[in-house]
Amino acid sequence: MICRCEEITEQEIRDAIRKFDLRTVDEVKRLTRAGMGLCQGRTCTPLLTKIIAEETNKKVSELLPLSKRPPVRPIKIEFLTTEE
Amino acid sequence: MNKIVDVVVVGGGVIGCSVAYCLAKKGVRVIVVEKKEGLSFGASGANQGGCPLQLFESPVLELARESLKLYKNLSEEIGYDIEYENVGSLVCSVDEKQFSDMKKHVQNKRREGINVRLIEGHQLRKLEPTLGEDIVVGVEEWDSWMVNPFKVNYGFAYAARKLGTEFLFSSQVKKIETDKERIASVITDREKIKTNFLVNAAGAWAPEIGKMLGLTIPVRARRGQIIVTEPVPLNERWRYILDADYLTTAFDLAAVEKSKDPRIKLGVAGSYIQEKSGNWTIGSSRDFAGYNNRVTMQTLKYIAKRVIKFVPRLKDISCIRTFAGLRPFCYIDGLPILSKINNPQNFVIATGHAGEGMTLAPITGKLISELITESRTSLSIDAFSFSRFKNIT
Amino acid sequence: MKLWTSKGSAAEGIPTPDELKKTPGWPSLERLQGGPVAIIECIEEIPCDPCESACPAGAIKIGSSVTNLPVLDEDKCTGCGLCISSCPGLAIFVLHLNYTNGSALVSFPFEFVPLPKVGEEVAAVDREGKEVCRGKVIKILNKRKQNRTPVVSISIPKKYVLVVRGISVNKNGSSKQNNSPKGGNNENKMRVLDHPILGRQSPGKTLNITVDGKKIKAREGEMIIAALLNAGIRINRFTSKYKEPRGFFCGIGQCTDCIMTVSGIPNVRTCVTPVEGEMVIETQYGRGEWG
């Protein structure tokens, strides 16, 4: 189990990478849902990066990192309404 | 590296991949050039995946209907599940003054043959208890659908690849060589590709391709922002809820200009879709900020305030991510541009879909492929011709 | 005298007898016979020198370069053991070979809970943590001056004096986990009230929280997960797809394995959410329930 939040297995991820010629963590996230769960990739991103590096024969440092967006941690919608 | 091919498609979004697939189906050799290291990096990767049939009007409505037919079989055809779901849509209003607009909307849609039903507020809440007390009236329509936008984009690309299409990533078009009113080759960072046709499906960046040919393509990037929530149990009846502002101010640039309401100025109108995973994508907004695809706290504030009126329970749910996308919006009339042009003769424009790209992707691919390989298209695209822009430089 | 084998400090972190004999911190066999003496098993040249200032007799010298290995002056060393607590690497011990006719005394730093009791029979373990013989706890020193690193002295058969460097204490409580709040009235069953590093804990007032209909005791202000673990509840939720149980995992609010529905609100991370008032907590199945 790579992505614990969305329950995505390593095999699913490798299959997606091979089938669609994926090269970035963002793409893997979009197609497998790994990294879309509650923790937003905090737990699985290092694992995903390593798998992609293996499958595409690149070094981890050569891969584009996962795109990070606000919020830094989950906040209630209610709090967004009071944001100044 | 030199290549020779029949058609070069610029842009790896859902439109580009759909065009590539439809061409490949006809045996055409296609290369898709995409400046990023992967697909879906433009509006195709920043949308909710919703296709609200009841919000379309002629001439786009005819395209949307055809697109729906194509979508119904798409998963089977390309051999990949795009998660097509017939969720229907509910346009509802939290403003009594919009009641007459809603009634008119029902009349118009019925005349166009779309099956809609007006439902009063209290009845709505009986059917769907999560809806808010402020909702006065709603119009439901059951042909609307949703898809997984990434799977559509990658699905088209996968099917196109199987038919021989080549995808070049991190390849930005730098120069287009012409010869006697025809495009001869396309030059990117790394390749020079000799081609018979060039399709501009670069979305918000389509004007940049046009500039290389001395053309002004009247498309501007219109930013939209979305809040993603944690997964929650699925709604009983309606998972696609829209703000009645879509019938009134959302697309009316003049009204936005006149308004003093900051929410309307930011183009915030409710568009709420609950995916089958349980997450709500809460949108949406419309503002012009160049190519800036970052979220702004102001807009998020108004989006959040708006959704609490429609689905109050969401106020206690957490937002886990926010993002923004750049829609290719035609600022002349808001309609897509699906057209050849006079000079060069082998340049085809397929953009300007604004917020309707995902809905219209299958039919766009089909029509553009017909435009290139046949003498006429199966549906009229005169309304989307480039020749309608007579006096722009 | 029994020795041990190992793949060496570089390969598995445990030095071989030869590696240790070469260091200047090991006393001679002759000195070992003459009363308690310190034995410094330090083999890494890193910038570290608290042992030098800890010794009142000046028997440990680092010298001009702070990365030097400590040199033991076995004649100056009285075996007082004050150096044991000073070593951050827990590498200093005191051996008293001739404690009695049959046994030797080994003194070592012990930073685990629970501390053994004097007179208790324990398992004496080697540098790998494997039991080699039985030992008896003779003395436990846990003074403020030692900065919260207790020193335990045990008697063991003489021949193991170069092998034994620690103990393994029998744990209290069963290892069988179950998910029902058992012993709910024993509010401190698994709570650490005197932490070896963080010191004495003073949790807030006791109150009841309800978990899946059953009441358990919790202390106000502590994290919900602490109250759950104390009551023996190890499963927090079941996943949506494969319906697998999940519980306390990262503990820092990142992995979302410990989430439960708290007072009607789903997806609450119990490891970073404090107990406030009489909360109603439910095991979350998949996405939970609306309000």
Side-chain angles (χ1 to χ4, degrees), chain A residues 1-52:
Chain A
M1 196 66 68
I2 298 290
C3 171
R4 303 177 66 87
C5 299
E6 294 284 328
E7 303 174 80
I8 314 291
T9 63
E10 185 180 351
Q11 194 56 50
E12 285 178 64
I13 292 170
R14 286 192 194 270
D15 285 346
I17 296 176
R18 288 172 197 161
K19 181 166 170 164
F20 293 100
D21 186 28
L22 302 178
R23 298 133 189 258
T24 59
V25 185
D26 274 329
E27 291 183 295
V28 172
K29 183 183 95 161
R30 287 166 179 175
L31 284 186
T32 61
R33 280 197 75 83
M36 278 195 185
L38 274 174
C39 85
Q40 287 292 294
R42 284 187 184 87
T43 313
C44 61
T45 305
L47 298 166
L48 284 178
T49 322
K50 194 154 162 288
I51 294 176
I52 298 173

Side-chain angles (χ1 to χ4, degrees), chain B residues 193-214:
Chain B
I193 312 170
K194 261 213 244 171
T195 179
N196 285 331
F197 278 93
L198 178 62
V199 177
N200 184 358
W205 295 267
E208 295 186 2
I209 304 294
K211 256 196 273 189
M212 293 178 200
L213 293 167

Side-chain angles (χ1 to χ4, degrees), chain B residues 50-352:
Chain B
C51 307
L53 195 62
Q54 62 168 309
L55 287 185
F56 283 89
E57 288 177 350
S58 271
V60 188
L61 176 58
E62 283 74 50
L63 263 55
R65 281 190 146 124
E66 271 307 305
S67 228
L68 169 58
K69 287 200 203 127
L70 294 171
Y71 258 126
K72 284 194 170 139
N73 301 320
L74 193 59
S75 295
E76 210 181 305
E77 189 185 323
I78 61 177
Y80 184 55
D81 180 17
I82 56 162
E83 294 176 18
Y84 164 88
E85 264 192 285
N86 186 358
V87 286
S89 64
L90 177 75
V91 172
C92 44
S93 165
V94 292
D95 184 355
E96 281 169 347
K97 295 201 245 11
Q98 287 175 325
F99 208 97
S100 52
D101 297 291
M102 296 286 263
K103 295 251 284 277
K104 218 173 10 162
H105 173 70
V106 171
Q107 279 172 347
N108 287 340
K109 293 300 129 190
R110 290 231 171 102
R111 209 179 300 133
E112 288 164 343
I114 297 187
N115 197 353
V116 288
R117 192 160 79 102
L118 190 86
I119 308 178
E120 308 243 351
H122 63 269
Q123 182 68 1
L124 283 175
R125 277 180 286 280
K126 262 209 230 126
L127 292 166
E128 183 61 76
T130 57
L131 293 176
E133 291 290 315
D134 290 341
I135 298 182
V136 180
V137 66
V139 176
E140 73 168 355
E141 180 266 304
W142 281 107
D143 281 319
S144 298
W145 71 99
M146 63 184 277
V147 288
N148 181 328
F150 307 116
K151 295 204 166 171
V152 173
N153 198 342
Y154 281 90
F156 274 130
Y158 167 69
R161 224 187 241 120
K162 272 208 292 204
L163 294 166
T165 301
E166 193 180 343
F167 284 80
L168 298 174
F169 294 110
S170 293
S171 295
Q172 190 170 6
V173 175
K174 288 282 188 292
K175 194 161 168 291
I176 305 176
E177 279 178 359
T178 57
D179 179 28
K180 294 203 234 314
E181 302 200 354
R182 281 185 69 85
I183 293 175
S185 33
V186 173
I187 300 177
T188 72
D189 302 278
R190 294 185 278 192
E191 294 93 10
K192 176 170 168 162
I193 312 170
K194 261 213 244 171
T195 179
N196 285 331
F197 278 93
L198 178 62
V199 177
N200 184 358
W205 295 267
E208 295 186 2
I209 304 294
K211 256 196 273 189
M212 293 178 200
L213 293 167
L215 267 179
T216 304
I217 300 181
V219 158
R220 203 176 279 152
R222 199 177 201 192
R223 179 173 60 178
Q225 304 185 30
I226 293 187
I227 295 174
V228 184
T229 72
E230 58 190 357
V232 291
L234 294 180
N235 265 6
E236 291 286 318
R237 192 175 168 104
W238 292 296
R239 282 165 43 204
Y240 191 177
I241 298 171
L242 293 153
D243 190 337
D245 269 18
Y246 273 105
L247 303 173
T248 56
T249 56
F251 294 127
D252 188 349
L253 281 174
V256 170
E257 186 70 35
K258 255 199 316 200
S259 169
K260 298 223 171 21
D261 184 345
R263 171 181 75 78
I264 296 184
K265 284 217 114 46
L266 290 168
V268 170
S271 166
Y272 316 122
I273 303 185
Q274 185 175 31
E275 296 166 28
K276 69 175 187 214
S277 56
N279 309 71
W280 279 91
T281 52
I282 300 175
S284 63
S285 71
R286 272 147 284 275
D287 70 336
F288 294 103
Y291 288 123
N292 182 342
N293 69 341
R294 299 174 89 154
V295 292
T296 56
M297 287 318 300
Q298 262 256 308
T299 305
L300 292 180
K301 178 168 90 166
Y302 285 109
I303 295 179
K305 278 185 145 140
R306 194 77 180 156
V307 71
I308 291 180
K309 279 203 151 105
F310 286 84
V311 189
R313 267 191 219 187
L314 289 178
K315 80 169 167 45
D316 291 321
I317 296 304
S318 294
C319 149
I320 59 176
R321 191 167 172 97
T322 58
F323 58 81
L326 299 168
R327 310 175 183 88
F329 174 69
C330 172
Y331 52 79
I332 303 288
D333 52 14
L335 294 176
I337 310 174
L338 309 173
S339 164
K340 279 188 172 155
I341 62 173
N342 283 333
N343 178 7
Q345 299 161 356
N346 53 354
F347 183 58
V348 181
I349 305 178
T351 184

